[in-house]
Amino acid sequence: MAAAPVRQRSGSAGHRAQLPPCYYEGYLEKRGPKEKASRRLWTCLCGNSLYFFNNAKDTNYVEKLDLCGFVSLKDDCSRDRNLEAARLILRMKDGETKLTAPNLESRELWKGFLYSVIDLNVPSCLTLLPGQLQMLKEVVDKERSRRRSRNPARAPPSPLSVPLVGEIPPCFRPVSRTEAEVLLERHPDCGNMLLRPGRDGCSLAVTTRQDLNGSVFRHYRVTQRDQGGYVIDVENPIPCATLYEVIDALVEKTAGTLQPFLLEEPYEENITYVSANDENGERILHTAPSSPLPKAPALPPKQDRWSTSPLSRSPAPDRRILTSPVPASPTNPMRRLILSPSPLAQTLNEELKLKLEKRRASQE
C-alpha cells in the first residue's frame, strides 16, 4: 500500500485514538540502530513523532520515534533488492534509523512532511508539486497550533538578561539547549563543552557531550552570586570567581575529558565592496584587485676582488701599500724580499755575463 496524506480515522479503541493528529502515513521498511534486519511497518507521522504499527488496521503501535532528537536526514543511494525502492537515513542523537520508501516520489513526500514538522517550515529544497507544497503548508500551520495549545505557558529560550561579570570565555554561545546539542553533535572535533544562556534568562548553563554507545548530553546550571562571582549548581556547589574559572573547574573535575568548544569561523580570502552603478542605480558586489607587495630594491652586484676586468680595480689603500717605498732597513723582510733576486734571475744574469765576456774576447 502506498503512502497516503492525512486520513482522519474515527475510532475509540487502543492507543491510536490518543495519538496527536496524523499528517502522513504509509508503509516503510525500518531498521533501527540496534536492529540487524529491516521490518515492513505501517508508519504514521503524528505530531512530532513517528509511530510504527504492524499493519494499517492495528490500533496499538509497536514503536515510537520522537523527532525532537533530530540531527539530519539524507538519501541513501545504496542498492536495494527492489529496484524501485528509495532509501533514507534518519540520523537522531541516539543513532541512525534507516527507512525505505516504495519509490522516489514517496521518499520525497516523506522528506517533505518530516522537514515541515521538524522545522515548522515548508522545505524549499525538494521536488514537489504545487498541491503537495500546499499540503505541507497546512501541516506546518496545524503543528504550530498544536504546540501552542499544548504548552501555552512555556516560554521560548530567552537571551541572558543580566550582565555578565568579567571576561566571557570563547566557548560561550548565545544558543538554546537544543541548538547547543546540535552544535556539539555536528562538530565533535571542536570540543565537547560550551557555555550558553539558561532558559530563565537569569542564569547560565553548560552543555556537554560525550560518546557512550551514542551521544550523551549533560546540562549544568551556573548562577551568578549576589556577592560576586558564580557557582556551579551541583550536589556540592562549586564557587568560581569568573566564568573562566567555571570552565577550568569542569575541565579539572573531569581530568581533561571535557574541553571548551571552540568553533573556527571562516575568514574571507578577498576584499569585497558594494558600489552603485551611476546609470541604473543597481548595486553590485565587487572584488578588490589583489596587487602584489612591492619588491625590495635589488642590491648592487658584488665585485670580484680578483677580477681582471678593466672596470675592476683594486682598492686605493692596497695600491698605496704596493707603491710606497720600502724603508732602508736591513732587517725589514719586505726589503729582503724585493732585493733578493730569484734563482732564475741569477742564472740568466750569469749566462748573459758569459756571453758578453766571449764577445769582448772575440773582438779583441
Side-chain angles (χ1 to χ4, degrees):
M1 184 180 295
V6 180
R7 293 205 305 265
Q8 298 293 342
R9 283 191 173 89
S10 59
S12 58
H15 292 171
R16 188 183 288 268
Q18 302 173 3
L19 299 181
C22 181
Y23 301 133
Y24 195 59
E25 57 185 355
Y27 274 112
L28 288 177
E29 290 187 13
K30 170 190 172 293
R31 189 176 74 180
K34 298 181 180 180
E35 296 176 339
K36 297 183 179 180
S38 299
R39 290 185 297 164
R40 187 169 180 266
L41 299 172
W42 183 260
T43 308
C44 298
L45 176 61
C46 301
N48 195 31
S49 300
L50 286 173
Y51 294 86
F52 299 94
F53 300 82
N54 287 322
N55 56 64
K57 295 182 180 180
D58 279 357
T59 57
N60 296 326
Y61 61 87
V62 293
E63 287 186 42
K64 174 186 175 182
L65 182 60
D66 193 345
L67 298 176
C68 292
F70 174 81
V71 175
S72 65
L73 179 65
K74 64 180 182 180
D75 297 342
D76 184 359
C77 298
S78 59
R79 285 181 169 271
D80 189 85
R81 62 182 182 277
N82 180 6
L83 298 180
E84 294 184 359
R87 293 183 172 184
L88 271 174
I89 298 179
L90 178 60
R91 187 181 180 192
M92 310 296 290
K93 294 177 182 177
D94 55 353
E96 291 182 351
T97 298
K98 295 185 177 181
L99 304 172
T100 304
N103 48 57
L104 291 174
E105 181 183 0
S106 176
R107 182 177 71 178
E108 287 297 294
L109 276 174
W110 273 110
K111 288 163 61 177
F113 279 98
L114 288 171
Y115 277 128
S116 298
V117 170
I118 292 169
D119 298 333
L120 292 181
N121 195 16
V122 178
S124 59
C125 58
L126 303 178
T127 305
L128 299 173
L129 299 174
Q132 295 170 336
L133 294 174
Q134 181 61 31
M135 280 195 307
L136 297 184
K137 185 178 182 302
E138 294 175 359
V139 168
V140 170
D141 295 338
K142 290 179 181 179
E143 180 63 12
R144 285 177 177 171
S145 300
R146 185 187 75 87
R147 295 187 189 183
R148 283 196 298 265
S149 61
R150 186 183 60 177
N151 299 316
R154 183 177 179 180
S158 58
L160 196 63
S161 59
V162 295
L164 300 178
V165 177
E167 297 183 3
I168 302 176
C171 62
F172 176 81
R173 292 272 168 171
V175 295
S176 65
R177 172 182 286 215
T178 303
E179 292 170 336
E181 293 180 353
V182 172
L183 269 178
L184 296 175
E185 179 83 20
R186 290 180 178 176
H187 306 280
D189 297 335
C190 297
N192 56 0
M193 171 177 57
L194 64 79
L195 185 67
R196 61 177 178 83
R199 286 184 178 273
D200 55 6
C202 299
S203 63
L204 293 163
V206 174
T207 298
T208 66
R209 174 191 172 273
Q210 298 181 74
D211 286 317
L212 183 64
N213 298 326
S215 296
V216 177
F217 294 97
R218 293 292 182 267
H219 306 273
Y220 304 94
R221 184 190 299 274
V222 179
T223 56
Q224 192 169 337
R225 299 189 298 179
D226 296 335
Q227 61 271 28
Y230 301 88
V231 61
I232 305 175
D233 291 335
V234 288
E235 184 177 0
N236 295 320
I238 305 173
C240 302
T242 63
L243 291 175
Y244 273 94
E245 289 190 13
V246 170
I247 302 301
D248 291 341
L250 291 172
V251 172
E252 181 181 355
K253 292 288 184 182
T254 59
T257 302
L258 297 180
Q259 290 295 321
F261 180 79
L262 302 175
L263 181 62
E264 292 291 337
E265 301 291 349
Y267 291 93
E268 301 295 335
E269 296 182 354
N270 297 302
I271 299 175
T272 58
Y273 62 95
V274 178
S275 65
N277 193 319
D278 296 335
E279 296 180 359
N280 54 19
E282 182 181 357
R283 301 181 70 82
I284 305 174
L285 181 65
H286 298 274
T287 300
S290 55
S291 56
L293 295 175
K295 295 183 178 180
L299 296 175
K302 289 185 177 181
Q303 294 185 357
D304 191 355
R305 59 184 298 186
W306 307 112
S307 175
T308 58
S309 171
L311 298 178
S312 177
R313 298 180 179 177
S314 58
D318 295 343
R319 187 166 61 250
R320 288 197 298 268
I321 292 173
L322 294 177
T323 57
S324 60
V326 181
S329 172
T331 59
N332 193 324
M334 289 299 294
R335 179 176 178 85
R336 290 200 303 271
L337 179 61
I338 295 174
L339 297 180
S340 301
S342 62
L344 179 60
Q346 290 179 355
T347 304
L348 292 176
N349 289 337
E350 290 177 357
E351 291 179 356
L352 181 59
K353 191 174 181 180
L354 290 174
K355 287 182 180 181
L356 288 175
E357 291 178 353
K358 288 180 180 180
R359 185 177 296 180
R360 289 175 184 175
S362 62
Q363 289 178 356
E364 292 179 352

